[in-house]
Amino acid sequence: MNFLIKILYLISKLPLKILYLFSDIMFFLNCYIVGYRKNVITKNLKNSFPEKSDEEIDKIRKKFYRNFSDYLVETIKSFSISETESRVRMQHINQEVFHEAKEEGKNIILLAGHVFNWEWINALATIIPQDHCHPVYRKVNSDFWENQMKNVRNKFGNEALEAKEVILNIVRSKNDGSSAYMFVADQTPHFAHITYGLNFLNQRTPVFTGYDRLATKMDLAFIYCEMKKVKRGFYQVNYHRIYPDGEKFVEHEVVKKFHKLLENTIHKRPDNYLWSHRKWKYQDSIKNFDSEKIE
């Protein structure tokens, strides 16, 4: 196992222009030979965009394979990428929201979706005034990959937290504007933990509500991370503060607003979303479905 780690680290030291040659090969194999999860991707796209023709769906799927292949090699690059290169390749826009939260004495909940390349947000910890940045990760079946991704998310002074421990950490920590918690918030809950769902991308969608429950109990600052792929190897993330309609957030308000913002992002560039994920496989397990269109 240590040998494999060393091999991956050495590969990650290669320049991205070399790694993108591997991406080109993966793209060709996935798109034209193997057809990686082609049926899942096609079904997700057709259900999400019923107004689009088969030709348009095929075009989005092809672009997705390209972006997905880039994401894979960029994730490997994350093992050794420097802070300087991270800052060059990921532009962070509207950093004022972090200073506002600090002045207000409110810890931050960052909400991102599976939009490429969410793994490269980590260097944010080096440029915002918060002292503690906690990327949140979920356990995976492979101990090897879990350890590697945890190491990646601990780079640049970050303090990664496993999803099961993050809520307790937030509740126990002093809410003084010194901490930021980074959620990839469109994860699919395990079917045994599904309680709430809403209409997202024209489909019944089970959603996590942990961060939403925090919004009604604690005075936290919620920020949406809008990812944009500028060109190959270069991204922008624009940060948007999410405010309550009233004096404070009510139940499900944050989760609805996050999914609406994410839906808008996906509509701008649908090929940048993780369509290979079986996001809607547990939609029949939703106990409390909110049929109201998210606005």
Side-chain angles (χ1 to χ4, degrees), residues 1 46 60-61 81-82 90 99 107 138 140 146-147 156 178 194 198 210 237-238 244 272 275:
M1 196 66 72
K46 285 188 173 182
I60 295 172
R61 185 180 62 237
I81 194 169
S82 68
M90 177 70 79
H99 293 275
N107 288 343
R138 291 179 69 181
V140 295
E146 180 178 341
N147 288 333
F156 310 124
S178 65
I194 294 172
L198 45 72
V237 55
N238 197 346
N272 261 350
W275 297 107

Side-chain angles (χ1 to χ4, degrees), residues 177-190:
S178 65
S179 297
Y181 298 84
M182 307 175 184
F183 286 78
V184 181
D186 61 336
Q187 299 272 11
T188 302
H190 187 275

Side-chain angles (χ1 to χ4, degrees), residues 245-269:
D245 289 336
E247 191 172 315
K248 64 178 184 177
F249 287 108
V250 298
E251 186 181 25
H252 300 147
E253 185 178 1
V254 167
V255 75
K256 285 182 179 180
K257 289 186 173 183
F258 162 70
H259 279 86
K260 180 59 179 177
L261 289 164
L262 178 57
E263 192 173 75
N264 289 341
T265 298
I266 293 169
H267 276 280
K268 291 176 186 176
R269 186 75 183 274

Side-chain angles (χ1 to χ4, degrees), residues 172-229:
R172 289 180 173 177
S173 297
K174 187 176 180 180
N175 185 18
D176 58 0
S178 65
S179 297
Y181 298 84
M182 307 175 184
F183 286 78
V184 181
D186 61 336
Q187 299 272 11
T188 302
H190 187 275
F191 72 90
H193 301 138
I194 294 172
T195 58
Y196 177 75
L198 45 72
N199 191 322
F200 172 67
L201 291 171
N202 295 303
Q203 298 171 80
R204 291 170 56 94
T205 306
V207 296
F208 273 116
T209 57
Y211 62 87
D212 190 88
R213 291 195 296 272
L214 286 171
T216 61
K217 292 180 170 63
M218 299 180 66
D219 192 14
L220 301 166
F222 286 81
I223 295 173
Y224 172 64
C225 310
E226 183 179 19
M227 295 292 303
K228 177 183 177 182
K229 186 172 186 176

Side-chain angles (χ1 to χ4, degrees), residues 15 28 77 80 92 110 117 184 217 228 246 249 262 278 291:
F28 181 80
K77 184 64 179 177
S80 64
H92 300 273
L110 284 164
N117 185 342
V184 181
K217 292 180 170 63
K228 177 183 177 182
F249 287 108
L262 178 57
R278 292 186 172 92
S291 60

